[in-house]
Amino acid sequence: MLGISAARLKRSIKHTAIWTAATLIVVTVVLVLLWRDRESLDAIEWAPYPSVAPTLDAVTVTWLGVTTLLFDDGETQILIDGFFSRPSLLDLLLDRHVDNDAAAINYALDEYRMRRLAALIPAHSHYDHAMDVGAIANRTSASILGSESTAAIARGAGVPEDQIIVAESGQQYEFGNFTVTLLDSSHAPIGWGGAIPFAGTVEEPLATPAPVSAWRAGRNYTIVIAHPHGTAIVQGSAGFLEGALNGVSADVVMLSVGLLEGLGRNYAERYWQELVTTTGAAHVFPVHFDDFSRPFGEILLQPRALDNFIDVAGWLQDFRDTWDTDTRFHLPEFGKPVVLYPRTSPEA
Ligand SMILES: [Zn+2]
């Protein structure tokens, strides 16, 4: 009796093991296929931002992935965010301890000639925005302007206090000919049940290595970058505070679209109206559409299962056609400076 039971038990364990292994293999294959199923940016046919001959004091912007944007008027440089390290997918999934990637940071500073950086201004303090600001400030002596959380990130990296400015919302900060204002905004509600992932503030100086979850969002800002030649707005996350931009006008909006698809078309339309219709911007550059678990310099759309920028681009065109018929879309090209203003030729 006992012998038969033991044999049966052994067989049943063997079957269970085989089925578990088979299921795991199938699930892994499906996940890998889903992860690799991505749209191509080639599906978007927006005209490039009309190129003009740069004058000596022209303002250029260079997109360096996610919402890391280098503004430069030939005299002063401002870096919105500062994210070159780009931890891998496994780092994110396992919340592994990550550190600033010195090679990537040194390469970016050199390749994009950041030798006149006056300020580093993260839109909020998540790692995909603020992870490298301390390391960059230490290499360039630029000031860091941002929330208390951003200041804690800077302190953790050993940035001297006189390079750290805790922003007051609505206050104007001058860097050369740029006047920067941080206005309170909201992060996109992309977590479970409309929550904000890694919400809260960074309370203590954030020493690295640290898990990516340690970079809490902190306060979220709409960043208004005014210059005698024109005004640009950077929205680092697809969130908004109703009416927060009433009375603010801009020529250009750098519009975060990360995970906007999952928030739905109605939400996206309100977001559009708050950021573009209200400010009257003539030009919109979507940003934050790239998979930020890829290495610096590699621009790939997110897996279709996670986000679909191509669908969102279609929505945005519909909103434009409904509310802002004169507004034009442009796709930023990684690492390629665009002359924003002054415009010396007719706009496309
Ligand atoms: Zn974020």
Side-chain angles (χ1 to χ4, degrees), residues 68-72 75-82 109 114-122 133 136-137 140-146 150 163-165 173-176 178-180 182 223 225:
T68 293
L69 292 154
L70 176 65
F71 286 82
D72 189 352
E75 187 182 298
T76 308
Q77 293 173 325
I78 288 175
L79 190 66
I80 303 303
D81 289 357
L109 292 180
M114 288 180 247
R115 297 184 191 118
R116 294 173 281 105
L117 265 185
L120 301 162
I121 311 172
V133 290
I136 301 168
T140 61
S141 71
S143 298
I144 295 179
L145 173 65
T150 294
Q163 271 172 260
I164 301 172
I165 309 167
Y173 296 90
E174 292 190 4
F175 302 100
F178 290 102
T179 303
V180 178
L182 278 61
I223 304 171
I225 304 152

XYZ file of all heavy atoms in Angstrom, residues 68-72 75-82 109 114-122 133 136-137 140-146 150 163-165 173-176 178-180 182 223 225:
363
model
N 15.037 65.320 -20.306
C 16.310 66.014 -20.134
C 16.522 66.886 -21.374
O 16.622 66.383 -22.487
C 17.465 65.011 -19.939
O 17.277 64.341 -18.681
C 18.805 65.719 -19.911
N 16.527 68.209 -21.145
C 16.545 69.175 -22.248
C 17.576 70.258 -21.964
O 17.554 70.885 -20.904
C 15.164 69.826 -22.381
C 14.033 68.907 -22.854
C 12.683 69.414 -22.349
C 14.022 68.803 -24.374
N 18.453 70.463 -22.914
C 19.497 71.471 -22.756
C 19.105 72.731 -23.522
O 18.979 72.716 -24.744
C 20.820 70.921 -23.294
C 22.017 71.885 -23.289
C 22.416 72.271 -21.864
C 23.210 71.252 -24.022
N 18.879 73.820 -22.776
C 18.607 75.125 -23.390
C 19.907 75.917 -23.398
O 20.652 75.915 -22.418
C 17.539 75.894 -22.594
C 16.145 75.354 -22.781
C 15.718 74.249 -22.052
C 15.270 75.933 -23.688
C 14.431 73.735 -22.230
C 13.979 75.435 -23.870
C 13.570 74.327 -23.132
N 20.155 76.626 -24.499
C 21.436 77.318 -24.651
C 21.215 78.557 -25.519
O 20.606 78.467 -26.593
C 22.421 76.352 -25.348
C 23.852 76.873 -25.369
O 24.081 78.042 -24.984
O 24.744 76.097 -25.781
N 25.407 81.828 -24.497
C 26.120 82.391 -23.356
C 25.849 81.549 -22.108
O 26.748 81.198 -21.368
C 25.615 83.834 -23.138
C 26.367 84.622 -22.105
C 25.752 86.013 -21.950
O 25.752 86.785 -22.929
O 25.256 86.309 -20.846
N 24.590 81.225 -21.929
C 24.159 80.505 -20.729
C 23.474 79.200 -21.137
O 22.694 79.188 -22.088
C 23.156 81.361 -19.918
O 23.743 82.649 -19.714
C 22.814 80.725 -18.593
N 23.778 78.138 -20.378
C 23.084 76.865 -20.600
C 22.263 76.511 -19.369
O 22.701 76.723 -18.244
C 24.095 75.735 -20.850
C 24.868 75.888 -22.145
C 25.972 74.850 -22.270
O 26.586 74.468 -21.276
N 26.248 74.421 -23.489
N 21.084 75.945 -19.638
C 20.214 75.452 -18.566
C 19.843 74.027 -18.908
O 19.433 73.752 -20.034
C 18.933 76.314 -18.482
C 19.264 77.686 -17.896
C 17.867 75.632 -17.662
C 18.088 78.612 -17.905
N 19.996 73.139 -17.959
C 19.607 71.754 -18.204
C 18.355 71.438 -17.389
O 18.375 71.523 -16.156
C 20.742 70.799 -17.817
C 20.556 69.339 -18.248
C 20.581 69.197 -19.771
C 21.611 68.441 -17.620
N 17.269 71.129 -18.082
C 16.068 70.656 -17.396
C 16.275 69.160 -17.143
O 16.663 68.418 -18.057
C 14.811 70.881 -18.263
C 14.662 72.368 -18.627
C 13.570 70.358 -17.537
C 14.606 73.326 -17.455
N 16.050 68.739 -15.897
C 16.358 67.367 -15.451
C 17.867 67.100 -15.519
O 18.658 68.035 -15.583
C 15.603 66.316 -16.270
C 14.104 66.312 -15.972
O 13.659 67.070 -15.101
O 13.388 65.529 -16.613
N 18.218 65.852 -15.602
C 19.616 65.436 -15.643
C 19.616 63.945 -15.422
O 19.676 63.467 -14.293
N 28.292 65.206 -20.930
C 28.754 66.587 -20.698
C 29.719 67.010 -21.792
O 29.692 68.159 -22.260
C 29.423 66.695 -19.321
C 28.500 66.531 -18.107
C 29.296 66.652 -16.814
C 27.377 67.558 -18.129
N 28.528 70.792 -22.501
C 27.927 71.503 -21.367
C 29.041 72.124 -20.528
O 29.413 71.607 -19.482
C 27.050 70.543 -20.569
C 25.774 70.197 -21.305
S 24.710 69.079 -20.391
C 24.792 67.615 -21.396
N 29.554 73.233 -21.025
C 30.667 73.902 -20.334
C 30.230 75.227 -19.737
O 31.002 75.901 -19.099
C 31.811 74.144 -21.318
C 32.363 72.833 -21.842
C 33.559 72.999 -22.745
N 33.835 71.710 -23.377
C 33.790 71.474 -24.687
N 33.506 72.459 -25.526
N 34.022 70.273 -25.160
N 28.977 75.612 -20.023
C 28.484 76.900 -19.514
C 27.179 76.694 -18.737
O 26.311 77.548 -18.742
C 28.263 77.860 -20.692
C 29.560 78.265 -21.408
C 29.304 79.066 -22.668
N 28.914 78.221 -23.796
C 27.692 78.096 -24.290
N 26.711 78.793 -23.795
N 27.456 77.293 -25.309
N 27.072 75.535 -18.095
C 25.823 75.214 -17.397
C 25.641 76.103 -16.170
O 26.466 76.081 -15.265
C 25.853 73.764 -16.920
C 25.225 72.679 -17.783
C 25.280 71.358 -17.028
C 23.786 73.016 -18.154
N 24.566 76.862 -16.175
C 24.287 77.732 -15.029
C 23.354 77.043 -14.041
O 23.463 77.256 -12.834
C 23.664 79.039 -15.503
N 22.422 76.236 -14.559
C 21.424 75.652 -13.654
C 20.951 74.289 -14.124
O 20.863 74.019 -15.326
C 20.229 76.599 -13.539
N 20.652 73.450 -13.133
C 20.040 72.138 -13.363
C 18.676 72.194 -12.696
O 18.590 72.486 -11.494
C 20.881 71.046 -12.697
C 22.328 70.955 -13.166
C 23.168 70.183 -12.166
C 22.372 70.294 -14.521
N 17.626 71.935 -13.473
C 16.279 72.161 -12.935
C 15.385 70.942 -13.207
O 14.793 70.831 -14.289
C 15.659 73.436 -13.568
C 16.662 74.602 -13.481
C 14.341 73.785 -12.881
C 16.237 75.841 -14.242
N 15.280 70.024 -12.245
C 14.418 68.853 -12.457
C 12.928 69.210 -12.321
O 12.547 69.967 -11.423
C 14.837 67.880 -11.349
C 16.084 68.439 -10.758
C 16.036 69.925 -10.998
N 21.518 64.777 -11.174
C 21.755 66.223 -11.010
C 22.930 66.518 -10.075
O 23.712 67.443 -10.313
C 20.497 67.020 -10.577
C 19.476 67.085 -11.683
C 19.898 66.466 -9.293
N 26.209 65.861 -11.859
C 26.461 66.886 -12.889
C 26.883 68.199 -12.222
O 27.822 68.864 -12.660
C 25.207 67.113 -13.777
C 24.796 65.815 -14.477
C 25.470 68.209 -14.808
C 23.426 65.871 -15.134
N 26.201 68.554 -11.127
C 26.537 69.804 -10.424
C 27.971 69.749 -9.921
O 28.702 70.745 -9.984
C 25.571 70.032 -9.268
N 30.291 70.474 -12.825
C 30.146 71.703 -13.610
C 30.011 72.960 -12.755
O 30.076 74.063 -13.298
C 28.865 71.634 -14.473
O 27.741 71.497 -13.590
C 28.904 70.469 -15.438
N 29.746 72.802 -11.486
C 29.453 73.886 -10.554
C 28.155 74.641 -10.886
O 27.938 75.766 -10.452
C 30.630 74.854 -10.380
O 30.826 75.618 -11.528
N 27.281 74.018 -11.652
C 25.962 74.614 -11.909
C 25.120 74.581 -10.632
O 25.313 73.715 -9.771
C 25.245 73.834 -13.004
N 24.197 75.520 -10.525
C 23.251 75.503 -9.401
C 22.162 74.476 -9.672
O 21.816 74.224 -10.823
C 22.584 76.869 -9.251
O 23.549 77.845 -8.962
N 21.626 73.919 -8.591
C 20.474 73.026 -8.721
C 19.270 73.761 -8.162
O 19.274 74.198 -7.008
C 20.700 71.714 -7.948
C 21.864 70.934 -8.580
C 19.439 70.873 -7.930
C 22.189 69.632 -7.870
N 18.259 73.914 -8.994
C 17.030 74.607 -8.589
C 15.889 73.601 -8.602
O 15.609 72.997 -9.644
C 16.744 75.756 -9.573
C 15.417 76.497 -9.421
C 15.340 77.245 -8.095
C 15.206 77.481 -10.585
N 15.241 73.420 -7.453
C 14.129 72.465 -7.424
C 13.512 72.367 -6.045
O 13.719 73.214 -5.183
N 14.561 67.474 -4.348
C 15.704 67.647 -5.249
C 16.926 68.113 -4.455
O 18.046 67.644 -4.681
C 15.340 68.648 -6.361
O 14.319 68.066 -7.174
C 16.541 68.983 -7.230
N 25.330 75.846 -4.001
C 24.872 75.485 -5.353
C 23.432 74.967 -5.332
O 22.914 74.530 -6.364
C 25.765 74.382 -5.929
C 26.973 74.890 -6.691
C 27.897 73.741 -7.063
O 28.902 73.509 -6.398
N 27.553 73.031 -8.121
N 22.812 74.969 -4.150
C 21.467 74.379 -4.034
C 20.446 75.482 -3.755
O 20.579 76.235 -2.795
C 21.423 73.332 -2.899
C 22.452 72.218 -3.163
C 20.026 72.739 -2.763
C 22.617 71.243 -2.005
N 19.442 75.572 -4.629
C 18.380 76.569 -4.435
C 17.053 75.822 -4.305
O 16.648 75.115 -5.239
C 18.277 77.537 -5.643
C 19.653 78.121 -5.992
C 17.258 78.636 -5.364
C 19.680 78.815 -7.355
N 13.625 83.173 -11.318
C 15.063 82.981 -11.100
C 15.786 83.314 -12.396
O 15.396 82.828 -13.462
C 15.348 81.532 -10.689
C 14.713 81.171 -9.362
C 13.415 80.644 -9.319
C 15.375 81.391 -8.165
C 12.811 80.336 -8.109
C 14.784 81.084 -6.942
C 13.503 80.558 -6.925
O 12.902 80.260 -5.720
N 16.810 84.152 -12.284
C 17.515 84.562 -13.502
C 18.843 83.857 -13.645
O 19.623 83.763 -12.701
C 17.710 86.083 -13.469
C 16.369 86.774 -13.610
C 16.454 88.262 -13.826
O 17.573 88.784 -13.956
O 15.374 88.875 -13.868
N 19.073 83.338 -14.840
C 20.347 82.735 -15.204
C 20.733 83.347 -16.549
O 20.121 83.015 -17.569
C 20.207 81.213 -15.313
C 19.707 80.569 -14.042
C 18.376 80.206 -13.905
C 20.570 80.351 -12.970
C 17.912 79.624 -12.736
C 20.121 79.771 -11.794
C 18.776 79.415 -11.677
N 21.690 84.251 -16.551
C 22.009 84.966 -17.780
C 20.761 85.666 -18.279
O 20.053 86.343 -17.513
N 18.135 84.089 -19.315
C 16.964 83.239 -19.079
C 16.311 83.624 -17.751
O 16.994 83.864 -16.764
C 17.360 81.762 -18.988
C 17.801 81.148 -20.284
C 19.155 80.958 -20.553
C 16.867 80.741 -21.232
C 19.568 80.373 -21.743
C 17.269 80.157 -22.426
C 18.623 79.979 -22.679
N 14.998 83.671 -17.746
C 14.250 83.834 -16.500
C 13.377 82.592 -16.330
O 12.538 82.289 -17.182
C 13.358 85.092 -16.554
O 14.197 86.217 -16.836
C 12.646 85.314 -15.239
N 13.615 81.879 -15.246
C 12.943 80.592 -15.046
C 11.957 80.693 -13.893
O 12.289 81.221 -12.825
C 13.986 79.493 -14.746
C 13.293 78.151 -14.496
C 14.986 79.372 -15.899
N 9.155 78.259 -11.708
C 8.599 76.930 -11.459
C 7.189 77.100 -10.897
O 7.017 77.752 -9.856
C 9.481 76.151 -10.467
C 10.710 75.448 -11.058
C 11.659 76.427 -11.702
C 11.420 74.623 -10.010
N 7.751 74.062 -15.780
C 8.900 74.966 -15.809
C 8.739 75.929 -16.980
O 8.613 75.516 -18.132
C 10.212 74.167 -15.940
C 10.310 73.147 -14.788
C 11.416 75.108 -15.912
C 11.447 72.167 -14.931
N 10.456 78.789 -19.096
C 11.795 79.297 -19.394
C 11.655 80.462 -20.363
O 11.482 80.278 -21.574
C 12.661 78.188 -20.015
C 12.695 76.990 -19.061
C 14.077 78.680 -20.301
C 12.905 75.692 -19.768
